[in-house]
Amino acid sequence: MPSVAESIKAWYAKLSEGHFFKAEGFQPAIILLQMFVLQVTFYCTIFICLGLVHYMTGGYVLVKEVFSATQWSWKSALADVCASVLQAFALRFVVLRAKKCLDFAATSMGWHWIICSVMAGMPHWGWWAWKLFCLSITVTLGEHLC
């Protein structure tokens, strides 16, 4: 019976050989950096899109509008769709592989859900439905671009 240390070494050897991660191997630092870049890109694009929508319709951007599921309007919805498209282009340049687009896009949306839940409480079902729609846009377009 192999020890725990030997089992971990064997598992890591499988990862390094490319059974799960192709020839580049398992590189957690690169994965974390990619997640960080995509999260920053997500918030930059949503703030830029929300700013453009508010500029065209009159008004100003509130930070709580991005992080709250209760301050939700058609302006937020339009900015979400615009940001989803731009996020798909970011996936093209950051992730580089179609198989990873769903993972990275869902992780980005998961972190957004956690932040929104901490700041404003649990979102309602309409927020969920819209965010899943935007996630599907991001993933579909991202996979197509990759």
Side-chain angles (χ1 to χ4, degrees), residues 10-26:
W11 178 75
Y12 187 75
K14 267 189 173 179
L15 289 177
S16 299
E17 289 173 1
H19 290 162
F20 297 109
F21 294 96
K22 299 279 182 197
E24 73 260 10
F26 179 61

Side-chain angles (χ1 to χ4, degrees), residues 3 26 38 41 53 64-65 73 76 83 95 120 126 128 130 136 144:
S3 68
F26 179 61
L38 284 174
T41 305
V53 169
K64 70 179 179 179
E65 193 172 359
S73 66
S76 299
V95 177
W128 285 103
W130 188 253
S136 67
H144 178 71

Side-chain angles (χ1 to χ4, degrees), residues 123-144:
H124 58 81
W125 70 269
W127 186 91
W128 285 103
W130 188 253
K131 294 297 180 177
L132 286 175
F133 173 70
C134 291
L135 179 65
S136 67
I137 291 172
T138 302
V139 171
T140 305
L141 187 58
E143 287 180 353
H144 178 71

Side-chain angles (χ1 to χ4, degrees), residues 27-133:
Q27 299 173 337
I30 299 294
I31 293 170
L32 290 174
L33 181 63
Q34 287 172 323
M35 283 193 286
F36 177 76
V37 168
L38 284 174
Q39 199 69 34
V40 168
T41 305
F42 174 76
Y43 286 119
C44 287
T45 57
I46 203 155
F47 275 110
I48 289 169
C49 292
L50 198 57
L52 288 173
V53 169
H54 278 289
Y55 177 74
M56 289 187 285
T57 60
Y60 52 92
V61 179
L62 299 173
V63 174
K64 70 179 179 179
E65 193 172 359
V66 173
F67 295 110
S68 173
T70 58
Q71 295 283 330
W72 203 61
S73 66
W74 68 269
K75 294 176 184 181
S76 299
L78 185 60
D80 282 342
V81 170
C82 178
S84 295
V85 171
L86 294 174
Q87 186 75 359
F89 282 98
L91 283 171
R92 162 70 174 100
F93 294 107
V94 175
V95 177
L96 304 173
R97 289 186 62 199
K99 286 184 176 182
K100 294 181 180 181
C101 285
L102 174 63
D103 299 337
F104 280 95
T107 300
S108 181
M109 193 60 67
W111 280 111
H112 181 60
W113 168 71
I114 290 169
I115 293 168
C116 287
S117 296
V118 167
M119 293 188 75
M122 189 60 82
H124 58 81
W125 70 269
W127 186 91
W128 285 103
W130 188 253
K131 294 297 180 177
L132 286 175
F133 173 70

